[in-house]
């Protein structure tokens, strides 16, 4: 019941906002392929599944949740979700983007202690990213009647701020850890534009421990322009995070894979 109510509320909110902006920009038609706007401000929501492990000294914890469909059809679970914000500015062949992912994982994941017992664990994460991209390829087909494709190379940095709280069984005390770090990134994106639709694939990898502990991000993304200044998006995101360091005089290892759908609403200007 909670899951159904959540989606009804989200759907009603998106419908109301979309209707309002349709009326506001009703005089502003959508252009085919060619987009003269430079800014995009987007507010998506990401609902990822989680697979991962945490070790700190002699303490080892593993965790995993079902896929997105398992969460939807299991009424005993509450969804874990991440709010996402994105701002992008484009000028000629250049593109500057800042985005941020923030949320927590605990409701929909079963965490297991090293002795096999289930434990209450919560992982909070705030992950901002900033990068600059340069368009390396741009081609239209049949004067854009068959669409257009372009590609960007980009580089920048991603910041991680991870907090872990675990209630361990006796005789262990509750575990409370926080760690943060910056990882330079390089990436590439490909986009195909056809009418009101845009289809994009994008991937980047962190340069710190790129071969021993790779941290990477991958997204498939589709966008539909309701109006010239309003669009809805739907996609799938995979984020792989790995971290090995010394924390509070103990060896710390963290690895996580977040995978799931993302949907959002954007304004172009």
């Amino acid at each position: 019941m909670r899951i159904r109510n959540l989606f009804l509320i989200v759907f009603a909110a998106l419908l109301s906002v979309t209707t309002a902006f349709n009326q506001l920009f009703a005089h502003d038609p959508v252009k085919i392929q060619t987009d003269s706007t430079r800014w995009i401000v987007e507010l998506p929501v990401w609902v990822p599944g989680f697979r991962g492990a945490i070790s700190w000294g002699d303490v080892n914890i593993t965790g995993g949740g079902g896929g997105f469909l398992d969460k939807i059809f299991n009424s005993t679970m509450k969804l874990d979700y991440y709010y996402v914000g994105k701002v992008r500015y484009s000028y000629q062949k250049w593109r500057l983007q800042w985005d941020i992912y923030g949320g927590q994982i605990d409701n929909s994941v079963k965490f297991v202690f090293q002795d096999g017992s289930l434990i209450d664990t919560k992982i909070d994460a705030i992950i901002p990213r900033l990068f600059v991209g340069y368009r390396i390829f741009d081609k239209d087909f049949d004067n854009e009647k068959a669409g257009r494709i372009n590609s960007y190379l980009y580089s920048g940095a991603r910041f991680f701020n991870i907090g872990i709280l675990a209630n361990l069984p006796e005789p262990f005390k509750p575990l409370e850890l926080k760690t943060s770090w910056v990882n330079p990134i390089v990436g590439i994106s490909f986009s195909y534009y056809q009418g009101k639709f845009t289809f994009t694939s994008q991937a980047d990898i962190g340069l710190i421990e790129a071969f021993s502990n790779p941290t990477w991000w991958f997204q498939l993304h589709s966008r539909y322009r309701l109006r010239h200044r309003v669009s809805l998006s739907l996609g799938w995101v995979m984020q792989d995070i790995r971290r090995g360091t010394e924390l509070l005089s103990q060896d710390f290892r963290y690895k996580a894979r977040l995978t799931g759908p993302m949907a959002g609403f954007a304004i172009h200007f």
Side-chain angles (χ1 to χ4, degrees), residues 52-124:
I54 304 160
S55 67
W56 182 71
D58 296 329
V59 174
N60 294 281
I61 301 170
T62 58
F68 176 69
L69 293 179
D70 292 337
K71 295 180 185 180
I72 294 298
F73 291 108
N74 186 347
S75 60
T76 63
M77 284 187 176
K78 293 185 291 183
L79 289 174
D80 291 322
Y81 53 89
Y82 278 45
Y83 286 110
V84 184
K86 181 172 77 174
V87 178
R88 190 178 76 194
Y89 175 74
S90 301
Y91 179 71
Q92 296 182 355
K93 292 186 176 183
W94 293 94
R95 176 174 290 177
L96 175 67
Q97 181 171 314
W98 175 84
D99 53 40
I100 183 169
Y101 297 71
Q104 69 179 33
I105 296 292
D106 67 344
N107 287 315
S108 60
V109 175
K110 292 181 179 180
F111 289 96
V112 181
F113 189 56
Q114 54 207 30
D115 64 0
S117 59
L118 297 176
I119 56 173
D120 292 329
T121 302
K122 181 173 70 174
I123 300 175
D124 292 300

Side-chain angles (χ1 to χ4, degrees), residues 129-134 152-158 160 182-190 201-211 214-219 239:
R129 177 178 62 165
L130 177 67
F131 65 81
V132 176
Y134 182 78
Y152 282 81
L153 282 177
Y154 63 90
S155 64
R158 179 179 280 108
F160 295 91
V182 177
N183 200 343
I185 60 172
V186 293
I188 190 169
S189 69
F190 296 91
S201 61
Q202 184 177 358
D204 61 54
I205 186 169
L207 298 180
I208 297 178
E209 297 183 304
F211 297 101
T215 292
W216 52 267
W217 180 89
F218 175 74
Q219 178 179 7
Q239 168 83 70

